[in-house]
Amino acid sequence: DEAAARGWAAEWPEPARRLAQAFWPGPLTLIVPRRPDRGCAAAGGQASIGLRCPSHPAAQALLRLAAAVGIDGIAAPSANRFGRVSPTRAAHVRDEFPDGLLVLDGGDCPEGIESAIVDLSTPVPLARRPGSLGRGRIEAILGRPLGLAGAGAPRASGDLDSHYAPTARVELWPAAELAEALRVEPASATLAVYSRRDADPGRSVHQRRMPDDPAAAAHELFAVLRELDAPGVQCIRVEAPPVDDPAWDGVRDRLQRAAAPRL
């Protein structure tokens, strides 16, 4: 909770108090200045630390058990290999780490995509990563617009241009262009499609239909990318989310990073 989070922070600014009271427990990570004697191993050499209070009952139970033995926080990186698609089910973690890793199975992740990250270690609160919490809801609590993180060293893995990527190449296509390409191009077993409209019924193509609701799309996004990343598939074409709807920001961010050129 907020009281425990304060124990890790050198400062707990007023925006942190407001956001924690509004959205914790929930899908929001706050970056704040770190106490020099706390969280060194988990901070990646930075003078700040990302803190979150999850709402999932299994995570809550694990935190209570840790607190009972004197551990007042758990370092919790994503359970996937660096740069790869995030897991949203226990089976995804077992696939990613098949060598006897112990997995606490709490069922499918209810949100799907990761938490929003707001950086409060800077003079102006910065949006580091969009999540299922809309930017407008966060700004309403802050009473000011969020700044945008500029170029420079990443503060979190989600800052990287290329991230959340399956083995197959991901391409983002405008809806009309994708539909036309699927209509005229020969069918190919090396191609998979994730779009909000059905492919030509006369074609044989591995397709999943993207929900029209952004929250539903966020919930299934990573699971669908893993499903479409099947043996033999070389390219996953994805219909680009609407650019004028902030509710799609989280999904759009993950897809743009999945489609970015890999180093």
Side-chain angles (χ1 to χ4, degrees), residues 1 4-5 8 38 51-52 62-64 66-68 70-76:
D1 58 11
W8 296 86
R38 303 296 304 273
L51 301 171
R52 184 162 80 89
L62 182 61
L63 287 168
R64 286 194 296 269
I71 301 171
D72 58 359
I74 296 173

Side-chain angles (χ1 to χ4, degrees), residues 56 58 88-91 93-94 102-109:
H56 195 288
T88 56
R89 299 171 182 165
V93 181
R94 296 188 185 100
L102 294 176
V103 179
L104 177 61
D105 188 349
D108 289 3
C109 291

Side-chain angles (χ1 to χ4, degrees), residues 35-114:
R35 280 180 49 177
D37 60 336
R38 303 296 304 273
C40 301
Q46 301 185 75
S48 58
I49 191 167
L51 301 171
R52 184 162 80 89
C53 179
S55 59
H56 195 288
Q60 290 266 328
L62 182 61
L63 287 168
R64 286 194 296 269
L65 288 171
V69 295
I71 301 171
D72 58 359
I74 296 173
S78 298
N80 58 291
R81 298 187 187 278
F82 181 76
R84 291 273 297 153
V85 180
S86 298
T88 56
R89 299 171 182 165
H92 297 161
V93 181
R94 296 188 185 100
D95 289 343
E96 198 88 2
F97 302 99
D99 300 325
L101 189 72
L102 294 176
V103 179
L104 177 61
D105 188 349
D108 289 3
C109 291
E111 299 289 339
I113 60 174
E114 300 88 348

Side-chain angles (χ1 to χ4, degrees), residues 79-172:
N80 58 291
R81 298 187 187 278
F82 181 76
R84 291 273 297 153
V85 180
S86 298
T88 56
R89 299 171 182 165
H92 297 161
V93 181
R94 296 188 185 100
D95 289 343
E96 198 88 2
F97 302 99
D99 300 325
L101 189 72
L102 294 176
V103 179
L104 177 61
D105 188 349
D108 289 3
C109 291
E111 299 289 339
I113 60 174
E114 300 88 348
S115 63
I117 299 178
V118 176
D119 190 344
L120 301 174
S121 67
T122 58
V124 175
L126 298 179
R128 287 283 175 188
R129 181 175 69 189
S132 56
L133 285 177
R135 183 188 184 95
R137 292 178 64 191
I138 296 173
E139 291 178 338
I141 297 300
L142 289 175
R144 62 178 300 174
L146 285 166
L148 295 176
R155 301 294 301 277
S157 58
D159 282 345
L160 298 169
D161 290 338
S162 177
H163 202 50
Y164 313 112
T167 301
R169 183 176 73 258
V170 175
E171 296 178 352
L172 288 178

